[in-house]
Amino acid sequence: MTPPPFGIYLHWPYCRAKCPYCDFNVHLKNAASPSEEKIASWLIQEISGLRAAIGAREAASVYFGGGTPSLMPPRLIGLVLEAIERHFSLAADCEISLEINPEDASPAFLRDLRAAGITRLSLGAQSLRDEKLRFLKRRHDSRQIRKAMSQAARFFDDLSVDLIYAVPHETGASWRAELEEALGFLKEPRRAHLSLYQLTIEKGTPFFRARKSGRLAMPSPARQAALYRMTQDLCERAGFPAYEISSHGRGVSSRSRHNLLYWRYGEYAGLGAGAHGRLILEGRRFATETPRQPRLWGQTVETRGRGWSMTPLSPLQTAEERLMMGLRLAEGVPRQSLPEADTPRFQEEEGFLRKKGLLTESRTHIRATGRGRLLMETITTALSLALSSPPSSPSLPND
Ligand SMILES: C[S@@+](CC[C@H](N)C(=O)[O-])C[C@H]1O[C@@H](n2cnc3c(N)ncnc32)[C@H](O)[C@@H]1O
């Protein structure tokens, strides 16, 4: 049996400032923080530890995420990639992505990233409007972003742009103009991708506290839904249909192969502070995680030879995860990959959700409709419950 595609995620845990909406594992540097060299050497140790644990594999994708991985010097990125090549083979068309913040996109830096082996850039623009950028407390303005976008296109032909929408007081007209501008820019690169996220208010963030105290009023659910529909419509007409709830590629080749690996429930290693992974060892799937504090993660790598610990997932947990990830995709979840769904209880729930217009009719896939993708939580909760509940007891014959 061919193993599922395999990818490697590397987390750079530092940012220049914490964004008020972000709950990712992000830290600010201080005098006690490990040096960049040290972090890279821990990542390199992680790569050799990973090889010892899982054996030889071919990586279909490598992803430098964060935090702000564009704070990592390209020389160190090159060393980490060399270590990956030494211990694993890279697929001929391996996608090697890096998230870059607009303020880092100087020609020299972009050239060095390319030379280090990065093939795809994901630009954390978040908005092309100054007022919105100020609200999101970003460190760049729209002029810098436009410059970053055109510089990035000089060096890379595989580009993605992240934008956030449905922020307080955002009108349909202003979001439309912003999105059209981004779509216009993305006509240029050979592979072009947009990640369009509705602003979500995450627990523990400054925005969460602001909403709680009434200082931040989010758009109503109806307004959010209208903006979402407008987004789908505009992107589709521009040739960027959604292949996942928030992800739009111009054609199949522009889709993020690394992110597809998560949603199609492939296998991936998560290395670096606070990274998560899913590995299959001796036929069993494991969830892996590393300590969130960079120094603690590094100490763990040094003392144990690897920073990650792993927990086995039960067949039910595996089925639930496969379902939750796959339902985010426009293609849905292939039925043959989820035999656990082949029960009367699950089919009953599916029938109910189909009647409500949330799932499509399909023999081969479990797939959400456009409306269903707006109500993803409802669908996944209902279907997960159906997966886990015992078969309903046969009805008693009437006496
Ligand atoms: C953790 S960030 C890292 C990217 C990069 N360092 C930056 O600052 O743009 C990854 C992406 O998640 C999205 N994101 C993070 N928190 C979000 C939230 N609360 N709501 C919507 N999108 C969010 C942003 O679009 C961001 O580009």
Side-chain angles (χ1 to χ4, degrees):
M1 213 172 73
T2 47
F6 170 68
I8 301 177
Y9 174 82
L10 302 133
H11 191 77
W12 191 261
Y14 292 106
C15 282
R16 292 185 179 90
K18 286 192 189 185
C19 297
Y21 50 85
C22 180
D23 75 339
F24 283 62
N25 186 38
V26 164
H27 303 264
L28 301 182
K29 277 219 163 210
N30 60 37
S33 302
S35 68
E36 287 151 354
E37 273 76 13
K38 198 81 221 154
I39 299 176
S41 79
W42 287 331
L43 284 174
I44 290 168
Q45 242 184 296
E46 282 278 51
I47 292 158
S48 86
L50 181 69
R51 164 66 207 253
I54 68 169
R57 292 294 304 267
E58 181 182 87
S61 60
V62 176
Y63 194 100
F64 290 86
T68 305
S70 53
L71 287 173
M72 192 175 177
R75 182 178 55 82
L76 299 179
I77 293 173
L79 291 179
V80 168
L81 286 174
E82 267 172 43
I84 294 178
E85 278 198 271
R86 234 184 356 266
H87 293 287
F88 297 94
S89 56
L90 297 183
D93 59 346
C94 185
E95 175 188 272
I96 306 179
S97 303
L98 178 120
E99 290 174 355
I100 183 169
N101 278 30
E103 58 267 39
D104 296 322
S106 70
F109 186 72
L110 293 164
R111 191 191 46 235
D112 290 350
L113 285 180
R114 202 76 245 180
I118 299 296
T119 64
R120 177 178 184 270
L121 283 187
S122 169
L123 184 72
Q126 315 314 349
S127 171
L128 302 174
R129 296 290 174 267
D130 286 327
E131 198 185 328
K132 200 162 141 190
L133 288 166
R134 279 194 294 274
F135 164 74
L136 294 170
K137 300 231 172 351
R138 298 294 287 178
R139 296 166 66 87
H140 47 256
D141 60 20
S142 58
R143 195 187 48 84
Q144 258 176 307
I145 296 176
R146 290 191 189 101
K147 203 162 157 207
M149 291 201 296
S150 57
Q151 290 293 6
R154 273 182 57 206
F155 293 90
F156 288 85
D157 63 359
D158 193 351
L159 279 182
S160 181
V161 175
D162 281 10
L163 294 176
I164 292 181
Y165 70 104
V167 306
H169 312 300
E170 185 160 34
T171 64
S174 70
W175 170 235
R176 171 189 289 272
E178 196 180 336
L179 182 54
E180 280 173 345
E181 185 181 342
L183 286 164
F185 157 74
L186 285 169
K187 284 207 177 97
E188 212 181 306
R190 192 168 58 92
R191 288 180 164 155
H193 188 275
L194 268 173
S195 296
L196 304 171
Y197 302 109
Q198 295 212 358
L199 177 65
T200 49
I201 302 297
E202 307 289 353
K203 224 171 162 183
T205 60
F207 273 7
F208 184 83
R209 293 188 284 280
R211 189 181 61 180
K212 207 165 171 201
S213 66
R215 285 176 287 125
L216 188 150
M218 286 295 285
S220 68
R223 176 118 204 87
Q224 289 175 354
L227 287 169
Y228 178 80
R229 278 193 293 270
M230 190 175 101
T231 305
Q232 306 310 302
D233 199 40
L234 274 174
C235 286
E236 230 158 80
R237 275 193 276 140
F240 282 72
Y243 65 97
E244 187 267 346
I245 295 181
S246 314
S247 308
H248 303 254
R250 196 187 56 220
V252 175
S253 68
S254 296
R255 296 175 181 174
S256 159
R257 275 168 279 164
H258 186 79
N259 288 345
L260 272 174
L261 197 139
Y262 299 150
W263 299 315
R264 288 182 179 153
Y265 211 40
E267 198 180 355
Y268 57 97
L271 308 178
H276 291 262
R278 290 289 179 276
L279 295 176
I280 302 171
L281 296 167
E282 289 167 14
R284 188 139 189 218
R285 205 174 278 258
F286 290 83
T288 73
E289 62 179 331
T290 60
R292 289 171 65 86
Q293 288 296 330
R295 199 165 267 290
L296 182 58
W297 160 68
Q299 280 162 359
T300 316
V301 176
E302 283 187 359
T303 50
R304 293 187 30 229
R306 65 179 192 220
W308 43 279
S309 53
M310 54 187 198
T311 316
L313 295 172
S314 69
L316 176 61
Q317 284 171 317
T318 304
E320 281 175 353
E321 285 195 346
R322 186 186 289 282
L323 183 69
M324 268 165 58
M325 297 310 269
L327 277 172
R328 300 181 61 92
L329 288 168
E331 67 192 26
V333 187
R335 286 191 192 277
Q336 64 182 53
S337 71
L338 202 69
E340 295 83 351
D342 195 12
T343 65
R345 171 75 188 86
F346 192 91
Q347 280 154 13
E348 186 191 326
E349 194 59 52
E350 268 195 271
F352 176 74
L353 293 169
R354 265 199 295 270
K355 260 197 217 128
K356 295 251 167 228
L358 302 180
L359 287 182
T360 63
E361 295 280 350
S362 165
R363 272 175 196 276
T364 56
H365 286 75
I366 305 161
R367 185 188 297 133
T369 58
R371 199 160 91 79
R373 262 178 268 141
L374 256 173
L375 297 170
M376 195 41 76
E377 235 178 274
T378 313
I379 300 184
T380 49
T381 311
L383 291 180
S384 294
L385 267 174
L387 270 184
S388 59
S389 55
S392 40
S393 43
S395 46
L396 291 172
N398 290 330
D399 306 68

